[in-house]
Amino acid sequence: MTIIPRFTMAVLAASIAATAAVPAAAQTPGSIVGVVGGWVTNEQVWRSEYETETVEGAQLGGFVNAATPLPWFRMRAEFMWTQRGGSVSGDLNGDPLIGETRTDYLTVGVQPRVAASAGRFEVFGAAGPMLEIVLRNRFGTELAVALQEVATAYGVGAGVGIAARINSSLHAEVEARIFEGLGDAYEGNFISAKNRSFGFVARIGRPLRR
């Protein structure tokens, strides 16, 4: 079992624990809008047996934590530029299949978010579907012949984190999160691969004034 599946199970378990916590009032009232940025480590999961290595990338974008009548429940929407990719080594029909892919995505996610107060902080968990639209793709020479990207990929994301109200107009969050592709991100003759990743993000936001 690789580090990413272990991390995936840990984050999902923590998400379940967070959602099962007795809810309390959120520290920052109303909806919150702001910026999000972080780092992601991505692994490609191939349908054939190949040696793979992870590739790191960045995430940057914006988010909205939309308030609901329940103080402990929000709907979170994110729009991010995301770098994913992977490195592979193997054999395809007697020819070497060696190289690295780097893909830039527009990542859109809408996720229910639940939280519980913990002293001065708020512990939260979120999970839901994610859509990834290819913005730019770079293949190694061998992979360029064998593969092409799928224009739109789908997956599910989950994460847990800690939030704090810095002052009356500033809200901050840090979150550990995972992403599991539910469909192929790359495909070719007799081969295909999907993305799997974990990472960390930070958010800075401001309450929306009514």
Side-chain angles (χ1 to χ4, degrees):
M1 183 180 293
T2 67
I3 186 172
I4 292 182
R6 288 198 297 267
F7 187 90
T8 298
M9 290 189 294
V11 171
L12 289 176
S15 297
I16 294 171
T19 57
V22 177
Q27 290 196 344
T28 304
S31 299
I32 300 167
V33 60
V35 296
V36 56
W39 199 251
V40 61
T41 299
N42 194 79
E43 177 184 31
Q44 292 175 341
V45 181
W46 293 76
R47 291 191 177 178
S48 302
E49 294 296 327
Y50 296 118
E51 295 183 8
T52 61
E53 294 183 3
T54 59
V55 169
E56 295 183 336
Q59 290 187 304
L60 184 64
F63 78 97
V64 177
N65 284 342
T68 72
L70 301 174
W72 50 270
F73 178 75
R74 299 174 188 261
M75 287 299 296
R76 182 173 73 195
E78 284 187 320
F79 307 87
M80 294 178 294
W81 165 71
T82 302
Q83 293 179 311
R84 301 196 193 277
S87 178
V88 62
S89 177
D91 180 90
L92 177 64
N93 299 326
D95 297 321
L97 185 69
I98 301 172
E100 183 175 282
T101 62
R102 295 267 185 176
T103 304
D104 296 343
Y105 292 99
L106 170 62
T107 301
V108 180
V110 178
Q111 301 177 332
R113 178 188 183 277
V114 298
S117 292
R120 297 176 54 191
F121 301 96
E122 179 184 84
V123 179
F124 67 88
M130 303 185 78
L131 170 69
E132 298 206 310
I133 302 169
V134 173
L135 300 176
R136 186 175 66 150
N137 199 31
R138 286 89 71 203
F139 286 122
T141 304
E142 292 85 357
L143 294 182
V145 177
L147 280 180
Q148 63 180 9
E149 79 276 3
V150 176
T152 303
Y154 303 89
V156 62
V160 292
I162 298 175
R165 185 177 180 180
I166 299 175
N167 54 43
S168 61
S169 62
L170 202 58
H171 171 95
E173 296 181 0
V174 291
E175 180 182 347
R177 64 198 308 181
I178 57 96
F179 171 83
E180 182 73 23
L182 299 180
D184 293 335
Y186 308 93
E187 61 183 15
N189 292 328
F190 309 109
I191 56 173
S192 61
K194 64 179 184 177
N195 288 316
R196 173 184 291 161
S197 65
F198 71 89
F200 297 90
V201 296
R203 300 182 184 87
I204 296 291
R206 300 174 66 92
L208 290 175
R209 303 300 181 185
R210 297 182 179 179

